[in-house]
């Protein structure tokens, strides 16, 4: 059956399914790397920080220009990220506290802007409040192009830079010592991450964005022992969750965004139960006792 | 061959207002096994991290085989402390060992068969061939250290910088590492080790550098491990440690 | 780097001041000033209050009352005003709690203009979630005058005669408006009287003037549009060959763009234009002609007739 027929039969559904699948692919893959880097909260922080940027972009431009809002959101997110890094590097504030601080401050500012914008009629026209909780159901065909571009960019960057990202994520210092330009790859990653967050805001909203980023990666971790497989699985499962979540939301008459998140969470719990629950935890790292029975010391070397 | 492996001049590194290294002048000749010793906070780790280019000094220069790090980086292998990495990572032992070869590969390059063989050989040299496909989150401390070493071996470097490789590993691993390092030296390589245990310095190293933010001494081990210098670095207890040593033949 | 940081930090208070400083004019005589929540309520109050009172609205034109969150300043105005008239029936969704408590505490100061409408006339699933858009039915809206007149007569007995006169004048004018609307609407053939909008604001209008109304989002704009609903509405569009959908002045038009997109997919020949902007939850800007209830209703009807005829 020609898949394009689907668009004729059920166009609302088709658009949203495709849109959430593409977003899920990008955010799942990128988010899984954030999980590995122990930076899972970054998605949450950035989505909260992007919110005032959206509003500011609207304020400056007056009309509902999406480009302006995306730029504003990205700039604020980038600023928040820089500020967090600055706090961690140059003050005594711990990483988690720094994230919470910056996130709260930026979002608080966003609330102030929102209250100010309430008196502005065209603000309602821009559907600004949809960015808080997402309105996946209103994905238009023109949005698909944007999401597809994002997905392609992410896939491309991951493919091309894979060897670099693998080493950087596992052992940053080693990457530097090998001569890899870590700051370039970091910047590229942050750029794509921020872009995904900002573009994904209208689907998932500020509140749910971090779930979309983190869940596929966390679940994928249970199923594989290789990073390439994990990231691939995270991206694929992100896409599938988007599709399944949208179908489910259609059946249940629930909003798509939250349905996807709930489904993703179920997937995570399922992964844990199937893969981890009955296994005894193997201990690792830091203990001087060695299980030397598993060691083969015959091939030590000449002398 | 006569170019020193590492040449450090006027090196100063500061964390904010606090100096970690102050005005270090150090020459590490090639082909030696040098132990970097000093009390906690002396700057030992900082020194090799700076040599590796992980930390930017406030002042001073570092030359490796006579050239700056940017040119000679590929000839240096860095083996960090085990705790510097989160071992709960989706990779196998072979994966990590292979990472040593990535510096040679271009952007889109993938490890070839020859690289895989090199990695397997390295695993064999450190005695963990049977662990090649084991996920790294299931390794003991000694095994982790060996994986790091294998990774360094894969790089086929001429200079090895190791940060406390003997810390918290079992006896078998300890002796294996030592043998390996000696082999490297006998093959013409240079080894610099941040070492924490004063008792074993004289046995294992031919040269030593005593560090306490400033370089207190460097050179052949016996010249550095004198009561006077050790007292300067460690205080009274240090002197005790060496006097107990000197009493043995 | 340090100076950059300082400058950024210094800029924040400035931006905050921007937000806070959206000032409203203070009434010249607080003793003779009344506060209404929406512009529509203010319009109604003015008809009775005449020259004796100054009437101000908390929400300006184009503001969505379903999602209006009262700021600290708004709450202060609510609690310090001499008398407050609000719509009721949960129109002011986020303020319902506050208004209800204030009304209970001081029933002489806080009045819901819809309080005298009999429940049998109220649309909506049940009384917990009523449809508040009663102003869309001109005759029904005239029933909201009662509480205002009563409150003003009590507060200002001297001018009772004037208030009562104004009351009956206004009722008459609204009856005439109702007749006028019916006449204008007659130009649209019955089978074409289908109204598609973003949210269900026109149920009363539909009931009073013979339209079938389909809103995507339900009674409140705070709900999310579900896919099923979007497709159902698009189906109706296509089946009935409706040529226009209508954007609302205070609601995100994206919903309607989406419906048009869906309808286009379902039936490639469907020609669905944007029929124009309807005023749903608020009045128009000053000078637009729709800044009074009467002006607003007529503007809506004209837009509808133009597009659907």
């Amino acid at each position: 059956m020609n898949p394009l027929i689907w668009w004729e039969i059920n166009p609302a559904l088709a658009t949203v399914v495709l849109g959430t699948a593409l977003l899920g692919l990008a955010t799942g893959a990128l988010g899984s790397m954030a999980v590995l880097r122990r930076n899972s909260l970054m998605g949450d922080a950035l989505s909260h920080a992007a919110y005032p940027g959206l509003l500011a972009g609207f304020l400056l431009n007056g009309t509902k220009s999406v480009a302006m809002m995306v730029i504003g959101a990205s700039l604020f997110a980038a600023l928040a990220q820089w500020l967090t890094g600055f706090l961690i590097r140059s003050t005594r504030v711990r990483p988690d506290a720094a994230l919470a601080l910056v996130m709260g401050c930026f979002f608080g500012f966003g609330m102030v802007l929102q209250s100010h914008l309430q008196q502005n009629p065209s603000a309602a026209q821009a559907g600004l409040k949809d960015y808080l909780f997402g309105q996946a159901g209103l994905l238009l065909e023109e949005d698909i192009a944007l999401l597809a571009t994002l997905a392609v960019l992410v896939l491309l960057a991951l493919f091309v830079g894979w060897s670099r990202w693998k080493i950087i994520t596992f052992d940053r210092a080693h990457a530097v010592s090998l001569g890899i330009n870590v700051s370039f790859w970091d910047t590229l990653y942050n750029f794509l991450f921020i872009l995904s967050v900002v573009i994904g805001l209208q689907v998932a909203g500020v509140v749910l964005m971090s779930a979309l980023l983190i869940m596929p990666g966390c679940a994928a971790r249970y199923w594989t022992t290789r990073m390439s497989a994990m990231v691939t699985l995270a991206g694929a499962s992100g896409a599938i969750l988007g599709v399944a979540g949208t179908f489910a939301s259609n059946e249940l008459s629930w909003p798509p965004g939250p349905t996807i998140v709930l489904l993703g969470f179920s997937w995570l719990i399922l992964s844990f139960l199937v893969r981890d629950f009955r296994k005894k935890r193997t201990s690792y790292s830091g203990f001087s006792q060695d299980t030397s029975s598993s060691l083969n010391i015959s091939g030590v070397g000449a002398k | 061959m006569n170019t020193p492996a590492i040449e450090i001049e006027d090196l100063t590194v500061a964390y904010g207002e606090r100096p970690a290294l102050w005005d270090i002048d150090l020459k590490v000749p090639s082909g030696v096994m040098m132990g970097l010793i000093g009390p906690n906070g002396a700057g030992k780790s900082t020194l090799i991290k700076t040599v590796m280019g992980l930390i930017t000094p406030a002042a001073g220069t570092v030359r490796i085989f006579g050239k700056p790090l940017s040119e000679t980086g590929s000839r240096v292998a860095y083996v960090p402390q085990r705790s510097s990495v989160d071992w709960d990572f989706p990779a196998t032992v072979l994966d990590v060992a292979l990472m040593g070869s990535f510096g040679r590969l271009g952007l889109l390059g993938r490890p070839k068969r020859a690289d895989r063989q090199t990695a397997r050989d390295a695993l064999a040299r450190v005695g963990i061939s049977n662990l090649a496909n084991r996920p790294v989150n299931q390794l003991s401390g000694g095994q982790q250290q060996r994986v790091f070493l294998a990774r360094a071996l894969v790089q086929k470097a001429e200079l090895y910088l190791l940060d406390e490789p003997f810390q918290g590993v079992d006896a078998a691993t300890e002796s294996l590492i030592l043998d390996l390092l000696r082999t490297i030296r006998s093959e013409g390589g240079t080894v610099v080790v941040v070492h924490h245990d004063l008792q074993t310095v004289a046995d294992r190293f031919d040269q030593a550098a005593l560090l306490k933010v400033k370089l207190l001494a460097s050179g052949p081990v016996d010249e550095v491990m004198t009561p006077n210098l050790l007292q300067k670095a460690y205080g009274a207890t240090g002197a005790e440690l060496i006097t107990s040593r000197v009493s043995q033949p | 780097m340090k100076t950059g940081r300082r400058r950024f930090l210094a800029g924040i208070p400035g931006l905050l001041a921007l937000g806070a400083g959206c000032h409203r004019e203070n009434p010249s005589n607080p003793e003779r000033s009344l506060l209404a929540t929406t512009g529509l309520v203010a319009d109604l109050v003015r008809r009775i209050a005449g020259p004796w009172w100054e009437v101000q609205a908390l929400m300006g034109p184009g503001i969505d009352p379903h999602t209006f969150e009262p700021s600290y300043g708004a709450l202060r105005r609510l609690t310090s005003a001499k008398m407050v008239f609000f719509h009721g029936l949960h129109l002011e969704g986020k303020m319902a709690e506050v208004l209800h408590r204030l009304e209970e505490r001081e029933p002489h100061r806080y009045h819901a203009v819809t309080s005298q409408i009999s429940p049998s006339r109220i649309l909506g699933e049940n009384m917990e979630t009523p449809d508040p858009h009663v102003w869309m039915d001109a005759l029904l809206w005239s029933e909201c005058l009662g509480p205002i007149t009563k409150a003003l007569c009590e507060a200002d007995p001297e001018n009772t005669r004037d208030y009562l006169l104004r009351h009956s004048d206004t009722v008459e004018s609204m009856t005439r408006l109702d007749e006028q609307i019916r006449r204008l609407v007659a130009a649209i053939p019955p089978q074409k009287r289908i109204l598609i909008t973003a949210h269900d604001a026109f149920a009363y209008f539909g009931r009073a003037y013979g339209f079938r109304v389909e809103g995507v989002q339900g009674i409140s704009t705070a709900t999310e549009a579900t896919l099923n609903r979007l497709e159902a509405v698009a189906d109706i569009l296509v089946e009935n060959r409706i040529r226009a959908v209508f954007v609302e002045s205070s609601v995100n038009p994206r919903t309607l763009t989406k419906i048009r997109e869906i309808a286009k997919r379902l039936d490639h020949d469907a020609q669905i234009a944007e029929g124009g902007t309807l005023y749903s939850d608020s009045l128009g800007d000053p000078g637009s002609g729709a800044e009074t209830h009467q002006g607003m209703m007529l503007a809506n009807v004209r837009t509808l007739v133009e597009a659907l005829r």
Side-chain angles (χ1 to χ4, degrees), chain C:
Chain C
M1 194 61 88
K2 278 207 157 90
T3 39
R5 173 162 72 112
R6 286 223 189 87
R7 254 185 242 131
F8 170 71
L9 289 173
I12 292 182
L15 286 167
L16 286 174
L18 217 181
C22 175
H23 72 229
R24 274 149 223 117
E25 294 169 24
N26 290 318
S28 41
N29 182 0
E31 278 302 303
R32 301 301 283 192
S33 80
L34 301 169
L35 185 66
T37 48
T38 67
L40 275 157
V41 173
D43 176 68
L44 212 58
V45 174
R46 272 188 204 110
R47 308 283 282 259
I48 311 289
W52 311 113
W53 299 85
E54 195 186 330
V55 183
Q56 288 187 331
L58 198 59
M59 304 182 213
I63 305 306
D64 181 352
H66 295 294
T67 58
F68 182 80
E69 299 230 20
S71 62
Y72 176 67
L75 287 173
R76 256 207 344 218
R77 286 176 80 193
L78 276 174
T79 51
S80 61
K82 181 111 170 80
M83 209 154 44
V84 174
F85 291 95
F86 60 98
H87 185 91
L89 293 179
H90 293 292
L91 176 70
E92 301 97 340
K94 307 258 169 164
M95 296 200 292
E97 217 11 76
V98 172
L99 290 167
H100 185 66
R101 265 188 282 136
L102 288 169
E103 190 190 11
E104 273 186 350
R105 261 199 307 163
E106 293 179 83
H108 298 294
R109 258 178 90 193
Y110 295 91
H111 306 276
V113 300
T114 52
S115 54
Q116 280 182 8
I117 302 180
S118 110
S120 62
R121 309 262 281 136
I122 305 283
L123 291 172
E125 292 205 359
N126 46 48
M127 277 318 280
E128 310 299 313
T129 50
D131 181 342
H133 304 88
V134 296
W135 61 89
M136 289 294 181
D137 177 344
L139 285 180
L140 198 55
W141 192 229
S142 68
E143 290 184 36
C144 295
L145 290 166
I148 302 174
T149 313
K150 184 159 169 278
L152 288 179
C153 287
E154 274 173 17
D156 184 26
E158 281 180 16
N159 291 306
T160 304
R161 253 197 54 161
D162 196 41
Y163 295 138
L164 289 175
L165 221 80
R166 287 177 182 280
H167 181 111
S168 63
D169 275 347
T170 312
V171 168
E172 201 191 308
S173 126
M174 285 190 169
T175 313
R176 281 202 309 267
L177 175 64
D178 185 83
E179 285 163 12
Q180 189 182 6
I181 294 177
R182 286 174 200 282
R183 276 199 311 273
L184 289 169
V185 159
I188 308 174
Q191 70 272 20
K192 289 203 178 167
R193 290 192 203 157
I194 307 183
L195 185 49
I196 310 276
T197 57
H199 88 298
D200 272 332
F202 293 87
Y204 291 97
F205 184 87
R207 179 178 73 171
Y209 306 110
F211 278 78
R212 175 179 170 193
V213 179
E214 300 284 353
V216 180
Q217 264 173 292
I219 299 174
S220 168
T221 55
T223 58
E224 211 184 298
T226 63
L227 289 172
N228 284 332
R229 187 71 189 135
L230 286 167
E231 291 210 349
V233 173
D235 271 335
I236 296 170
L237 260 182
V238 168
E239 270 167 30
N240 293 284
R241 297 185 182 286
I242 302 170
R243 293 207 326 266
V245 295
F246 300 91
V247 169
E248 290 170 49
S249 60
S250 57
V251 174
N252 188 356
R254 211 164 210 261
T255 322
L256 293 160
T257 316
K258 176 87 182 166
I259 291 181
R260 283 170 64 202
E261 193 178 84
I262 300 172
K264 198 91 178 91
R265 285 269 168 206
L266 288 174
D267 176 5
H268 293 287
D269 297 322
Q271 297 259 16
I272 303 167
E274 235 180 67
T277 308
L278 293 178
Y279 297 94
S280 61
D281 285 330
S282 71
L283 295 171
D285 290 322
S288 61
E291 64 265 32
T292 61
H293 176 255
Q294 178 167 331
M296 176 200 109
M297 293 293 281
L298 288 174
N300 275 355
V301 171
R302 287 193 185 107
T303 307
L304 283 172
V305 170
E306 181 87 23
L308 293 175
R309 197 168 34 174

Side-chain angles (χ1 to χ4, degrees), chain A residues 13 36 38 65 76 80-81 129 151 178 187 224:
Chain A
L13 194 58
L36 284 175
R38 305 249 131 163
S65 156
F76 268 68
Q81 193 170 57
K129 65 177 163 63
L178 282 178
T187 309
T224 171

Side-chain angles (χ1 to χ4, degrees), chain B residues 142-163:
Chain B
Q143 292 164 335
Q144 290 169 353
Q145 197 63 60
R146 295 181 192 220
V147 172
F148 267 171
L149 267 171
R151 184 178 71 179
L153 286 173
V154 169
Q155 281 178 249
K156 299 198 177 134
E158 296 161 50
L159 169 62
Y160 290 76
L161 303 174
L162 299 93
D163 197 345

Side-chain angles (χ1 to χ4, degrees), chain A residues 36 38 159-160 163-164 167 170-171 173-174 176-177 185 221 225-227 284-285 288 290 294 296 299-300, chain B residues 52 54 85-86 88-91 95 102 105 107 110 124-125 127 130 137 140 143-144 151 155 168 170 176:
Chain A
L36 284 175
R38 305 249 131 163
F159 183 71
V160 168
S163 59
R164 301 305 183 253
I167 305 181
F170 175 60
D171 187 348
H174 185 239
V176 174
S177 77
W185 292 103
R221 183 74 185 86
T225 55
R226 314 193 76 121
M227 185 173 158
Y284 64 92
S285 88
S288 39
D290 209 353
S294 65
N296 177 7
V300 156
Chain B
M52 275 317 302
L54 297 169
V85 156
D86 181 6
D88 187 11
F89 187 83
D95 280 336
F102 277 43
L105 297 172
L107 195 54
R110 298 278 181 265
R125 268 182 95 176
N130 60 321
N137 64 352
S140 68
Q143 292 164 335
Q144 290 169 353
R151 184 178 71 179
Q155 281 178 249
D170 58 291
L176 176 133

